[in-house]
């Protein structure tokens, strides 16, 4: 069974600074996908960034980037130039590309607070 | 619709009562998922529907939980004889393009008293 671990229950960062959220996962699969989702108080899960395991290049989406270390099974999220609107719960998620249902396995989340 | 719609937004029920939670996916999305988010926990997969195929019920925690999807569109998650441990946010998601096309609703917060 796959597991996803987020070791930082809460983090804070000053506005305009950079913060890194950690995620590790455990799987015996070779092909899979990794995601970071953001959940604001509205409760709706919003996709921040995704990474295909077969791609060595780290994904980047504007201020968000990942550090994907396949051998270490690590998938951290870096948020640059933090903004007040980044305050939310962040969840790391995994799915096995061989699973037809693409059900997601989530970590327990990191609560990020951006301080003005 | 423009997004995934879930109703009710909040539900308070007495222990032992049955509840029904509704999910209206994005039109044309063939895949529909239910997840449960308990306090301080990540999301836990419950059930998956894909078109007219038999649903993947592997995540349902007990036989008190059931779900159906009518006409390949609206889905209802039913919890019978609710228990306090059923208190959670129940999130629905739909997708047209597999893993890259997930769109989540805003969930139903269920409180069992």
């Amino acid at each position: 069974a796959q597991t996803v671990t987020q070791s930082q229950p809460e983090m804070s960062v000053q506005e305009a600074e950079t913060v890194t959220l950690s995620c590790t996962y455990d799987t015996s699969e070779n092909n899979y996908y990794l995601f970071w989702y953001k959940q604001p108080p509205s409760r709706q899960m919003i996709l921040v960034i995704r990474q295909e395991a077969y791609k060595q290049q780290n994904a980047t989406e504007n201020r968000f980037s990942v550090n994907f270390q396949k051998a270490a099974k690590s998938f951290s999220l870096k948020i640059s130039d933090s903004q007040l609107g980044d305050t939310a719960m962040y969840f790391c998620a995994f799915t096995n590309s061989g699973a037809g249902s693409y059900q997601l396995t989530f970590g327990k989340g990191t609560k990020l607070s951006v301080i003005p | 619709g423009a997004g995934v719609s879930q109703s009710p937004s909040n539900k308070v029920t007495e222990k032992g009562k049955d509840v029904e939670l509704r999910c209206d996916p994005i039109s044309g999305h063939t895949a529909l998922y239910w997840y449960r988010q308990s306090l301080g926990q990540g999301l836990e997969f419950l059930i998956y529907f894909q078109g007219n195929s038999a649903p993947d019920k592997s995540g349902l925690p007990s036989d008190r939980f059931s779900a159906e999807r009518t006409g390949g569109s609206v889905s209802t998650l039913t919890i019978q004889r609710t228990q306090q441990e059923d208190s959670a946010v129940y999130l629905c998601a739909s997708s047209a393009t597999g893993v890259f096309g997930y769109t989540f609703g805003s969930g139903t917060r269920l409180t069992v008293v």
Side-chain angles (χ1 to χ4, degrees):
Chain A
Q2 292 88 4
T3 59
V4 177
T5 302
Q6 294 179 247
S7 59
Q8 306 149 316
E10 292 193 41
M11 294 191 72
S12 61
V13 62
Q14 292 289 138
E15 192 175 7
E17 297 294 308
T18 295
V19 64
T20 299
L21 309 183
S22 300
C23 172
T24 58
Y25 58 94
D26 188 20
T27 182
S28 58
E29 302 294 334
N30 191 48
N31 295 317
Y32 49 87
Y33 303 100
L34 294 160
F35 307 85
W36 279 98
Y37 278 89
K38 169 184 177 181
Q39 186 181 41
S42 67
R43 297 197 306 238
Q44 185 177 20
M45 300 287 282
I46 301 166
L47 178 65
V48 174
I49 198 166
R50 70 181 190 225
Q51 175 82 41
E52 291 99 312
Y54 63 86
K55 291 186 177 179
Q56 292 187 336
Q57 185 173 4
N58 290 323
T60 299
E61 287 287 342
N62 300 313
R63 298 183 295 108
F64 299 88
S65 61
V66 298
N67 183 5
F68 174 47
Q69 302 289 329
K70 190 173 183 179
K73 296 180 181 175
S74 172
F75 183 62
S76 60
L77 174 70
K78 185 171 82 171
I79 306 174
S80 303
D81 185 27
S82 296
Q83 301 176 359
L84 296 178
D86 296 334
T87 293
M89 285 291 295
Y90 286 81
F91 292 93
C92 180
F94 166 102
T95 191
N96 174 7
S97 61
S101 70
Y102 292 117
Q103 65 187 68
L104 295 169
T105 301
F106 288 86
K108 293 186 178 182
T110 296
K111 183 178 181 180
L112 177 67
S113 299
V114 179
I115 303 166
Chain B
V4 177
S5 178
Q6 292 189 246
S7 60
S9 180
N10 295 283
K11 174 74 175 179
V12 179
T13 190
E14 292 181 352
K15 178 181 174 181
K17 299 282 190 181
D18 297 353
V19 295
E20 287 189 350
L21 312 180
R22 177 188 169 104
C23 173
D24 200 342
I26 292 174
S27 179
H29 279 195
T30 57
L32 187 147
Y33 305 80
W34 284 97
Y35 287 84
R36 178 171 70 175
Q37 184 177 17
S38 303
L39 186 63
Q41 302 293 316
L43 278 70
E44 171 191 18
F45 167 78
L46 296 177
I47 190 169
Y48 159 70
F49 295 91
Q50 173 62 55
N52 295 321
S53 301
D56 176 357
K57 304 179 181 179
S58 60
L60 294 178
S62 77
D63 58 8
R64 296 186 296 103
F65 287 73
S66 63
E68 63 177 20
R69 188 179 185 191
T70 55
S73 182
V74 172
S75 177
T76 302
L77 177 69
T78 300
I79 308 173
Q80 295 178 312
R81 304 181 302 280
T82 52
Q83 303 294 314
Q84 287 187 327
E85 60 263 28
D86 299 334
S87 295
V89 174
Y90 290 82
L91 286 161
C92 175
S94 69
S95 173
T97 55
V99 69
F100 297 142
Y102 263 68
T103 300
F104 281 87
S106 295
T108 294
R109 181 181 297 282
L110 175 66
T111 303
V112 182
V113 297

